[in-house]
Amino acid sequence: MNVLPPSNRKSLAALSAAMPEGILLTAEADMAPYSRDWSGDHYGRPLAVARPRTVEEVSTLMKICFREGIPVVPQGGLTGLVGAAVAAPQGGEVVISLERLNKLRSISGIDFAMVVEAGCILEEAKNFAEAHDCVLPITFGAQGSCRIGGNVATNAGGFNVLRYGMTRDLVLGLEVVLGDGRVWNGLKVLRKDNRGYDLKQLFIGSEGTLGIITAAAFKLFPRATQVETALVGLRSVEDAMALYARARRECSDLLTAFELILRGGIDIALNAGTGLTDPLTAPYPVYVLIEASAGGRVDLKAILEDFLGDAGDIVVDGVVASSKAQAERLWLLRETMVETQGGGGRYLRTDVSVPISKLADFVTDALAALAHHHPEALAVTYGHVGDGNVHLNIVPPHNSTPDAIEDLFHATETIIFDVVDRYGGSISAEHGIGRVKQKAFLDRVDKVTLDIAGRLKDAFDPKHILSDGRILGAHSRIGV
Amino acid sequence: MNVLPPSNRKSLAALSAAMPEGILLTAEADMAPYSRDWSGDHYGRPLAVARPRTVEEVSTLMKICFREGIPVVPQGGLTGLVGAAVAAPQGGEVVISLERLNKLRSISGIDFAMVVEAGCILEEAKNFAEAHDCVLPITFGAQGSCRIGGNVATNAGGFNVLRYGMTRDLVLGLEVVLGDGRVWNGLKVLRKDNRGYDLKQLFIGSEGTLGIITAAAFKLFPRATQVETALVGLRSVEDAMALYARARRECSDLLTAFELILRGGIDIALNAGTGLTDPLTAPYPVYVLIEASAGGRVDLKAILEDFLGDAGDIVVDGVVASSKAQAERLWLLRETMVETQGGGGRYLRTDVSVPISKLADFVTDALAALAHHHPEALAVTYGHVGDGNVHLNIVPPHNSTPDAIEDLFHATETIIFDVVDRYGGSISAEHGIGRVKQKAFLDRVDKVTLDIAGRLKDAFDPKHILSDGRILGAHSRIGV
């Protein structure tokens, strides 16, 4: 049993005195679910876990934390994978879980807009939209666990970015509790509003370091009444990119997903023991899972079939799903690959992007360098190539020692990031920086960018109590 | 001839000493084109006009201005209409015209992205995109005069927002000269990049008050190979909004414009003496100009015609253009109305938005209040109703005295803004705040918003030399 230092005991006493019964958890067992992220890789022991039920309770909590200088870390569904939302390893941080702020506040199919609280599970928010014949097009594997506040705070990406943009592009307004406990009410459903600075942009993608998002207003789209899915086999990543450029034009920009999978990933899914079979008649080096969606009066199936039929110079083999069940089986290939790629053990995740025109070269170069230097490692390559975004993951050999795994992760990440740098890419396309990518980020960022970021941090979190040490270094005071 | 105060003479001497020949203009006649905006309503006499040719020259200029505390105002095409880009009436500001930074730097039809400098005329940038089979979907009346830097600095809107979003949604990266002369290089064409704070968002829509935009990278879309245009006559604004909700769904979200015009506006166009004739057989209270655009394999004309054919419960009369020339004539109705609405004299422009679901009520209530209190004034109503954005303009009676015009503008704007407030709307949907909307903005803005905005201004322009007195009050030091 840990004995708390006096400053921590004072912090806990101040919080306990101010908050109603049932808001604060301090017992080890109660805090366990809030201490480790979904991957299991990232752990931090919180000083306490606060579970406020209203924006007023978040505000009260932050007023005390600001006054007493208590560091906090806002937490959503813990699926961010970069260690941004678990407590700091050195201890002393209060986790503020937004899970009980989970109201679906309002929706309008005429405004094509809805307002939901930060703690809503993404899938519940999506279902809310669907029930009103609309779609909230934030779509990815973790949607059954992640929460809206985390989606906004990390500017989540996913499958539909090529059509609808990142989460940022879908946010019409925010409600945020500032570091000093004041509430900024920027909730609105206006499609156009140029009254001064667009302050919500500050908080989107700031990973909890500038404020605590408590609710968000989203732009919605008409619910698709037609969804067509195809899997095609190709000769190369170059061909996948050529097909993408053509598909955007010929499918009237109605694509909602364009997912690259190399053969290795398909093998992982087929060998997972879940009974999946190869939908195509022979193996191909490269696959693309294509989805197009539309409402209204287009004949989407004909568009996709005609497009693929005329792309015989590129498409070697392919199947257009003839039923919803068949479409789901095609997607299951991808999901199974993602879920089973590590074989139950640890693996290195990367999440990089390059300009779309450089993606084929990036994959070729990175895989060649990995094969040359680390032939023992399994590289799994897939991604949202319509956005130039690839997940290039590294699975260590069976029976590697923990130290050997660490060494391999470090060496292969360095190789991958070097190629990213060469093509002017990003070492974090979707997941953000958190703690895990911090060194790689700070190694690469230019001084002016760092100065601007530091000024923002200092202006909005002068005591550095908000998720300090994520993105920027701990207690970084970089500004003027 | 004005005699400059000593501080101004010192400023001019410092700038002249540092800048190459031909960059600075100081003669009254040379400065005239940079002193008054496109509407003619807004004038300010600059201390000097600088016309840098490169980002390095902008940087040098700002280093001197920062050191000497010389106030500046960046200037684009002077079409913003809120007095943001002309010099301050009290004098002493150096106008920095970006017109010579006008290179089209790069474009890729595979990345669907381009990089252009701030001084490019929007239309030239659009033509550059078209020549590469892409479209930059920022589209509005002033596109032949406005410049890219101004479009980004004001987060310009226009006709295509309902499909493609505001300018903000199209910006992938920026290059900015900061208030102290350092260059922030945030130019990139990545579709996804979550490395820390998205700093470009700070400068978009900040009207020159936080930095000087020198170049921008834009997201492009496939060039439309089919464009269909229709004008329909309706019974009411309610019906226009009902038609919009249905059109989004049934036209597969392929709408690129949905413009409301009340009959009064059509009359203005028909009476302009330019030979326009009414495209419909009888007059109707309300019109909507609809445009849908697509590339690829959809049959867009059939979609639009079938949609309108099935909307007989709402659409009283209408025409789908059978040729490009006919489509241009339909658009000419709208353009002629906008250009001739003031009858050559001054008129009050408003640019407001409300949630889409409130737009019909807003128009009804505002027009009723105006008719009740100011039956002598002509209210011209049109707008981008797919975005909840209306321009409700007031034309004073012929032969009004200047004082009477001022009084009428003040009274009618107050009436319109009161109704905007009642529906939770924005007093500036597209054009920003500048100087003209400043009082109305500051009268309405809440303290927390103002505090956050003040902290940003203080952090990025500590000497308040960047377009000071636009958006926020002059020399506002509101932060901590």
Side-chain angles (χ1 to χ4, degrees):
Chain A
M1 158 119 200
N2 294 324
V3 178
L4 290 175
S7 65
N8 284 353
R9 268 181 286 157
K10 182 167 169 274
S11 298
L12 276 184
L15 288 170
S16 298
M19 301 309 298
E21 192 86 25
I23 301 295
L24 280 188
L25 305 177
T26 53
E28 190 89 25
D30 293 342
M31 296 196 297
Y34 306 91
S35 303
R36 193 176 288 281
D37 82 342
W38 174 85
S39 73
D41 292 351
H42 309 298
Y43 171 84
R45 189 187 183 282
L47 175 63
V49 175
R51 298 182 306 152
R53 297 159 301 190
T54 61
V55 61
E56 291 76 20
E57 286 181 352
V58 180
S59 169
T60 304
L61 202 56
M62 283 312 301
K63 279 180 182 156
I64 297 157
C65 291
F66 184 72
R67 193 186 68 206
E68 306 287 332
I70 305 169
V72 303
V73 53
Q75 187 175 96
L78 281 169
T79 60
L81 302 179
V82 293
V86 290
Q90 72 272 18
E93 283 184 349
V94 173
V95 163
I96 301 182
S97 167
L98 279 305
E99 67 186 0
R100 297 209 275 188
L101 261 94
N102 62 355
K103 283 194 207 61
L104 303 161
R105 287 198 196 164
S106 63
I107 191 164
S108 161
I110 302 203
D111 290 329
F112 283 100
M114 73 179 193
V115 178
V116 295
E117 291 186 343
C120 291
I121 301 276
L122 172 56
E123 199 152 82
E124 287 167 10
K126 289 171 73 75
N127 292 341
F128 186 47
E130 284 226 3
H132 291 79
D133 235 12
C134 292
V135 63
L136 172 66
I138 309 174
T139 308
F140 49 81
Q143 66 192 37
S145 316
C146 65
R147 293 176 194 274
I148 288 296
N151 299 147
V152 176
T154 60
N155 186 29
F159 300 128
N160 298 156
V161 173
L162 76 171
R163 170 89 162 266
Y164 298 105
M166 302 289 278
T167 297
R168 180 184 302 279
D169 298 300
L170 303 170
V171 175
L172 292 171
L174 288 182
E175 178 187 82
V176 177
V177 174
L178 302 179
D180 58 12
R182 287 178 302 165
V183 179
W184 177 62
N185 184 356
L187 273 184
K188 55 185 181 185
V189 298
L190 301 173
R191 317 295 286 197
K192 274 183 175 172
D193 183 13
N194 271 344
R195 285 174 295 176
Y197 308 148
D198 188 3
L199 301 180
K200 66 177 180 287
Q201 304 295 344
L202 273 175
F203 304 103
I204 301 170
S206 71
E207 303 185 29
T209 64
L210 299 178
I212 301 176
I213 294 161
T214 51
F218 288 103
K219 213 187 265 192
L220 304 176
F221 293 81
R223 193 173 65 79
T225 51
Q226 304 171 55
V227 179
E228 298 298 333
T229 310
L231 182 77
V232 299
L234 306 169
R235 289 178 204 94
S236 66
V237 181
E238 283 83 354
D239 279 1
M241 303 320 291
L243 189 68
Y244 174 65
R246 217 188 277 182
R248 275 202 72 176
R249 294 185 185 281
E250 298 203 13
C251 298
S252 309
D253 237 349
L254 296 171
L255 298 178
T256 39
F258 200 90
E259 296 289 312
L260 176 86
I261 311 174
L262 300 203
R263 176 66 202 183
I266 299 288
D267 284 334
I268 288 172
L270 297 178
N271 297 331
T274 57
L276 285 169
T277 54
D278 195 330
L280 304 187
T281 50
Y284 302 98
V286 169
Y287 295 77
V288 174
L289 185 57
I290 304 172
E291 188 189 80
S293 310
R297 293 159 186 266
V298 298
D299 183 351
L300 197 61
K301 195 174 186 89
I303 290 173
L304 189 60
E305 284 179 346
D306 291 353
F307 161 65
L308 291 174
D310 288 355
D313 53 328
I314 299 178
V315 174
V316 189
D317 191 4
V319 55
V320 177
S322 60
S323 66
K324 203 170 165 222
Q326 199 187 352
E328 280 166 6
R329 276 200 300 279
L330 294 179
W331 276 102
L332 202 56
L333 272 175
R334 190 192 185 285
E335 284 158 32
T336 304
M337 168 198 67
V338 172
E339 280 166 17
T340 62
Q341 60 184 312
R346 293 182 61 203
Y347 59 98
L348 175 74
R349 295 177 171 86
T350 71
D351 159 37
V352 304
S353 67
V354 293
I356 298 170
S357 57
K358 309 287 189 216
L359 196 124
D361 289 344
F362 164 77
V363 171
T364 303
D365 290 5
L367 291 181
L370 290 167
H372 180 70
H373 293 287
H374 292 280
E376 78 282 14
L378 173 67
V380 186
T381 310
Y382 58 95
H384 319 298
V385 294
D387 316 307
N389 176 196
V390 176
H391 301 297
L392 207 173
N393 298 341
I394 303 292
V395 184
H398 274 300
N399 305 320
S400 300
T401 64
D403 280 354
I405 290 177
E406 281 306 321
D407 289 348
L408 180 69
F409 285 2
H410 179 74
T412 52
E413 190 181 69
T414 303
I415 289 170
I416 295 166
F417 286 179
D418 281 351
V419 187
V420 169
D421 291 343
R422 213 182 319 135
Y423 288 111
S426 168
I427 59 153
S428 186
E430 293 192 321
H431 288 273
I433 299 299
R435 295 181 171 285
V436 175
K437 302 276 176 69
Q438 189 179 62
K439 186 176 179 304
F441 169 63
L442 293 176
D443 283 350
R444 285 164 174 79
V445 69
D446 68 280
K447 272 189 194 164
V448 179
T449 296
L450 204 56
D451 174 62
I452 300 177
R455 286 178 197 226
L456 285 177
K457 180 69 176 167
D458 291 346
F460 294 99
D461 184 22
K463 293 188 177 180
H464 284 237
I465 58 170
L466 286 170
S467 293
D468 206 42
R470 282 76 173 178
I471 304 180
L472 302 171
H475 300 281
S476 57
R477 192 168 181 92
I478 305 156
V480 276
Chain B
M1 159 108 201
N2 293 324
V3 177
L4 290 176
S7 66
N8 284 352
R9 267 180 288 157
K10 182 168 168 277
S11 299
L12 277 183
L15 288 170
S16 299
M19 300 309 298
E21 192 86 26
I23 301 295
L24 280 188
L25 304 177
T26 53
E28 189 90 25
D30 293 342
M31 296 196 297
Y34 306 91
S35 304
R36 192 176 289 283
D37 82 343
W38 173 85
S39 72
D41 291 351
H42 309 298
Y43 172 83
R45 188 184 183 284
L47 176 62
V49 175
R51 298 183 306 152
R53 298 159 300 191
T54 61
V55 61
E56 292 75 22
E57 286 181 352
V58 179
S59 170
T60 304
L61 202 55
M62 283 313 301
K63 279 180 181 156
I64 298 158
C65 291
F66 184 72
R67 192 187 68 207
E68 305 287 331
I70 305 169
V72 304
V73 54
Q75 186 175 95
L78 281 169
T79 60
L81 301 179
V82 293
V86 290
Q90 73 271 19
E93 283 184 348
V94 173
V95 163
I96 301 182
S97 167
L98 280 305
E99 66 185 2
R100 297 209 277 188
L101 261 93
N102 61 355
K103 282 194 208 61
L104 303 161
R105 286 198 197 165
S106 64
I107 190 164
S108 161
I110 302 205
D111 290 330
F112 283 102
M114 73 180 195
V115 177
V116 295
E117 292 186 342
C120 292
I121 300 276
L122 172 56
E123 201 152 82
E124 287 169 9
K126 288 170 73 76
N127 291 342
F128 187 47
E130 284 225 5
H132 291 79
D133 234 12
C134 293
V135 63
L136 172 66
I138 310 175
T139 308
F140 48 82
Q143 66 191 37
S145 316
C146 65
R147 293 178 193 272
I148 287 296
N151 298 148
V152 176
T154 60
N155 186 29
F159 300 128
N160 297 155
V161 173
L162 76 171
R163 171 89 161 265
Y164 298 105
M166 303 287 279
T167 297
R168 180 183 302 278
D169 298 300
L170 304 170
V171 175
L172 292 171
L174 289 181
E175 177 187 81
V176 177
V177 174
L178 302 179
D180 57 13
R182 287 178 303 164
V183 179
W184 177 63
N185 183 355
L187 273 185
K188 55 185 180 187
V189 298
L190 301 173
R191 317 296 286 197
K192 274 182 174 174
D193 184 12
N194 271 343
R195 285 175 295 177
Y197 309 147
D198 188 3
L199 301 180
K200 66 178 181 286
Q201 303 296 342
L202 273 174
F203 303 105
I204 302 170
S206 71
E207 303 185 27
T209 63
L210 300 178
I212 301 178
I213 295 161
T214 52
F218 288 104
K219 212 186 264 190
L220 304 176
F221 292 81
R223 194 172 65 79
T225 51
Q226 306 171 54
V227 179
E228 298 297 334
T229 310
L231 182 77
V232 298
L234 305 170
R235 291 179 203 95
S236 66
V237 180
E238 282 84 352
D239 279 1
M241 302 319 291
L243 189 68
Y244 174 65
R246 216 188 278 184
R248 273 202 75 177
R249 293 185 185 280
E250 299 203 14
C251 299
S252 308
D253 237 348
L254 295 171
L255 298 178
T256 39
F258 201 90
E259 296 289 312
L260 177 86
I261 311 172
L262 299 203
R263 177 66 203 184
I266 299 289
D267 285 335
I268 288 171
L270 296 178
N271 297 331
T274 56
L276 285 170
T277 54
D278 195 329
L280 304 187
T281 49
Y284 301 98
V286 170
Y287 295 78
V288 175
L289 185 58
I290 303 172
E291 188 188 80
S293 310
R297 293 158 185 266
V298 299
D299 183 351
L300 197 61
K301 196 176 186 90
I303 290 173
L304 188 61
E305 283 179 345
D306 290 353
F307 161 65
L308 290 173
D310 288 353
D313 54 326
I314 298 180
V315 175
V316 189
D317 192 5
V319 56
V320 177
S322 58
S323 66
K324 202 170 166 222
Q326 199 187 352
E328 280 167 5
R329 277 200 300 279
L330 294 179
W331 276 101
L332 202 55
L333 272 175
R334 190 191 184 285
E335 283 158 33
T336 306
M337 167 197 67
V338 171
E339 280 165 19
T340 62
Q341 60 185 314
R346 292 183 61 203
Y347 59 100
L348 175 75
R349 295 176 171 86
T350 71
D351 160 35
V352 303
S353 67
V354 293
I356 299 170
S357 57
K358 309 288 187 212
L359 195 125
D361 288 344
F362 165 77
V363 171
T364 304
D365 291 3
L367 291 181
L370 289 166
H372 179 71
H373 293 287
H374 292 281
E376 79 282 14
L378 173 65
V380 186
T381 310
Y382 58 95
H384 319 299
V385 293
D387 316 307
N389 177 198
V390 176
H391 300 297
L392 209 173
N393 297 341
I394 303 293
V395 184
H398 274 302
N399 306 321
S400 300
T401 65
D403 281 353
I405 290 177
E406 282 306 320
D407 289 348
L408 179 69
F409 285 0
H410 179 73
T412 51
E413 190 180 70
T414 303
I415 289 171
I416 294 166
F417 286 179
D418 281 351
V419 186
V420 169
D421 290 344
R422 213 182 318 136
Y423 287 110
S426 168
I427 58 153
S428 186
E430 294 193 321
H431 288 273
I433 300 299
R435 296 182 170 283
V436 174
K437 300 277 175 67
Q438 189 178 62
K439 186 176 180 306
F441 169 63
L442 293 175
D443 283 350
R444 285 165 174 79
V445 69
D446 68 278
K447 272 189 196 165
V448 179
T449 297
L450 204 55
D451 174 62
I452 300 177
R455 285 177 198 227
L456 286 177
K457 179 70 175 168
D458 292 346
F460 294 100
D461 183 23
K463 293 188 176 180
H464 284 236
I465 58 170
L466 285 170
S467 292
D468 206 42
R470 282 76 173 180
I471 304 180
L472 302 171
H475 300 281
S476 58
R477 188 165 184 94
I478 305 156
V480 274

